[in-house]
Amino acid sequence: QRSWLDRATDRVLRYFLPDGYPASVGPGYLEYSRWRLSAFFWGGSIGVFATQGLLMAVGVGRQSSAPLAAALQWVIRDGVGRFGRIFFSQVGTGFDAE
């Protein structure tokens, strides 16, 4: 019987790695994935800070929590959208003709 941690790890890896990994990918795939993950994370972070700076620059909600609320709403919307794309990319493989 496998532990819950092993099962959870397998499930996460199935979402992020292609079918048949490592035989189905080239030798540089893992390094490429690390760089893509880094770019994804830092790009999202820079977008959050840029949006926050823009909201503050135009004077949204001085001396209130409006800028924080707007930035948080944007982060949640963007995060849910990205999670949905990851989830449905796995579900969508069942509809592939090949």
Side-chain angles (χ1 to χ4, degrees):
Q1 176 102 1
R2 295 176 28 177
S3 72
W4 68 269
L5 184 59
D6 289 336
R7 290 191 310 263
T9 301
D10 287 344
R11 178 168 283 182
V12 168
L13 290 177
R14 273 194 313 231
Y15 277 117
F16 291 105
L17 295 174
D19 291 337
Y21 179 83
S24 65
V25 297
Y29 180 78
L30 194 56
E31 183 177 356
Y32 166 78
S33 295
R34 285 182 188 144
W35 282 108
R36 289 288 294 168
L37 180 61
S38 176
F40 179 74
F41 173 78
W42 291 111
S45 298
I46 290 170
V48 168
F49 293 131
T51 301
Q52 181 183 11
L54 179 65
L55 290 171
M56 294 177 111
V58 297
V60 174
R62 297 258 186 226
Q63 301 298 324
S64 71
S65 62
L68 178 61
L72 185 60
Q73 179 184 8
W74 183 81
V75 169
I76 290 171
R77 183 199 68 217
D78 195 49
V80 169
R82 289 182 183 197
F83 177 76
R85 277 183 263 156
I86 290 171
F87 175 74
F88 284 108
S89 71
Q90 294 298 315
V91 172
T93 58
F95 299 111
D96 193 9
E98 295 181 27

